[in-house]
Amino acid sequence: MVDLYKLQDPTKQYPRPKFKRQPQNVPGLAKNMTPRPDHGEESYRGSGRLPNRKALVTGGDSGIGRAAAIAFAREGADVVINYLPSEEADAKEVIALIEKEGRKAFAIPGDISNEAFCKRLIAQAHKKLGGLDILALVAGKQHAVEKIANISTAQMEQTYRVNVFGLFWLCKAALPLMPPGGSIITTASIQATHPSSSLLDYAPTKAAILAFTRALARQVAEDGIRVNCVAPGPVWTPLQTSGGQPDKKIPAFGSETPMKRPGQPVEMAPLYVLLASQESSYVTGEIYGATGGLEIS
Ligand code: NAD
Ligand code: MG
């Protein structure tokens, strides 16, 4: 287990390329990855920063969402996770980890590209938790295609539905239920400002998330709700090994960063915790990068 709290060289803290190719169907499962990603299962230590908060995390079964869900629970929050039904195996592990902290954990699987489901998800999460203070929007769709000629209209539309429309529907339903002090955290990407040629649909959705975050933050500041964004660089998650990258790029994944390795999901978690907590009370409309040195701006 990596000791996250020990002074050490961050470039050597986690595995570096080369990785072995390990294609999976979409959505991939974290449990099938080698090396196993660090979502903080053993490594993240809480310190009471989110006492009795009520949080919904989309994409909470795996990757960055799982790391946020575990960290939120360790900081004292009850957590609902949303994910796709085929990800039940990953989701079960997260539910067990949250319950182990003595916090309440609820699973609400379903497809956020569907407006009616987004409304149901927010209503059910609010009911199960007895409130809604934190909305961490981490779910996303990424499928690399090398040439524009091979991107179907259906893929273009679905990437926007999951990454942008879902965000809109979930925020629209949640805001009337959130109290002053509530926090919405979106998830963009280094792709928003440094797009890869094979992510012609995905990269613009992440740029849209930056603008959406800033606009919504300005709109709801006077209600005491903060809206911020985490923008990761390359992170070792099933999104990438299930077609987010062309398979041939997996062995060198993360080598393009100044740190020469991908990030691990747990390395994103402190940003979600900070932005969710009252400690960041004067922070809204901001984009926080964690990119191994690629720089979001
Ligand atoms: P991940 O595959 O572990 O998580 C993505 C999750 O999105 C899945 O677990 C799934 O539950 C959810 N999802 C996808 N389609 C959905 C749908 N239609 N309905 C409901 N849920 C759906 O991968 P991750 O890398 O942790 O991705 C989390 C977020 O981080 C995404 O928004 C992604 O764009 C962003 N991101 C990832 C990286 C990276 O390198 N891994 C870099 C920048 C940004
Ligand atoms: Mg998943």
Side-chain angles (χ1 to χ4, degrees):
M1 190 217 14
V2 172
D3 181 348
L4 298 179
Y5 305 92
K6 188 183 88 177
L7 188 69
Q8 62 198 293
D9 178 350
T11 67
K12 304 204 171 74
Q13 193 169 326
Y14 282 110
R16 301 168 74 130
K18 284 189 154 184
F19 302 107
K20 75 174 176 70
R21 289 193 189 200
Q22 45 195 292
Q24 296 193 49
N25 292 331
V26 181
L29 294 179
K31 69 198 291 286
N32 295 339
M33 291 180 70
T34 315
R36 280 294 292 266
D38 184 354
H39 307 92
E41 289 91 339
E42 317 253 313
S43 55
Y44 188 91
R45 219 187 284 154
S47 52
R49 297 166 73 190
L50 300 172
N52 296 315
R53 294 299 201 280
K54 300 162 194 320
L56 167 61
V57 183
T58 67
D61 59 301
S62 61
I64 298 165
R66 178 195 286 220
I70 293 171
F72 286 174
R74 298 237 166 111
E75 299 292 351
D78 296 331
V79 185
V80 169
I81 59 167
N82 160 254
Y83 50 92
L84 288 166
S86 58
E87 299 174 299
E88 196 59 43
D90 273 353
K92 277 204 170 105
E93 292 182 3
V94 179
I95 295 291
L97 284 160
I98 296 170
E99 286 176 343
K100 207 168 136 201
E101 297 306 312
R103 303 309 314 180
K104 287 188 196 135
F106 303 99
I108 309 182
D111 184 346
I112 61 162
S113 70
N114 176 303
E115 181 175 6
F117 174 72
C118 287
K119 287 184 187 162
R120 262 202 322 277
L121 171 60
I122 294 295
Q124 287 180 9
H126 181 260
K127 192 164 175 214
K128 283 181 189 290
L129 292 165
L132 187 60
D133 308 318
I134 300 165
L135 182 59
L137 299 164
V138 190
K141 174 177 167 59
Q142 176 183 333
H143 184 74
V145 177
E146 307 270 13
K147 293 290 176 198
I148 188 169
N150 298 329
I151 303 181
S152 65
T153 300
Q155 173 173 332
M156 195 76 193
E157 190 174 323
Q158 185 62 7
T159 304
Y160 270 80
R161 287 183 81 87
V162 176
N163 295 3
V164 183
F165 289 23
L167 209 69
F168 163 67
W169 291 321
L170 291 166
C171 289
K172 191 174 178 183
L175 277 162
L177 304 174
M178 294 181 76
S183 168
I184 296 176
I185 306 158
T186 63
T187 306
S189 169
I190 187 71
Q191 291 293 326
T193 53
H194 299 72
S196 299
S197 63
S198 62
L199 296 173
L200 207 57
D201 57 339
Y202 173 87
T205 67
K206 293 294 164 175
I209 292 170
L210 296 189
F212 179 92
T213 303
R214 289 173 167 142
L216 189 62
R218 290 180 175 176
Q219 187 180 120
V220 301
E222 64 186 4
D223 302 322
I225 310 276
R226 297 178 301 105
V227 190
N228 291 288
C229 179
V230 175
V235 182
W236 187 243
T237 72
L239 185 83
Q240 302 294 4
T241 56
S242 63
Q245 295 292 320
D247 193 42
K248 62 173 191 270
K249 290 203 174 162
I250 291 298
F253 185 65
S255 60
E256 74 280 20
T257 67
M259 289 208 185
K260 307 278 184 247
R261 68 163 177 91
Q264 292 292 322
V266 72
E267 296 180 286
M268 310 295 122
L271 297 179
Y272 288 87
V273 169
L274 173 68
L275 295 171
S277 87
Q278 202 60 30
E279 294 167 322
S280 58
S281 49
Y282 201 53
V283 179
T284 196
E286 299 286 2
I287 317 297
Y288 278 47
T291 63
L294 289 176
E295 299 175 12
I296 181 71
S297 55

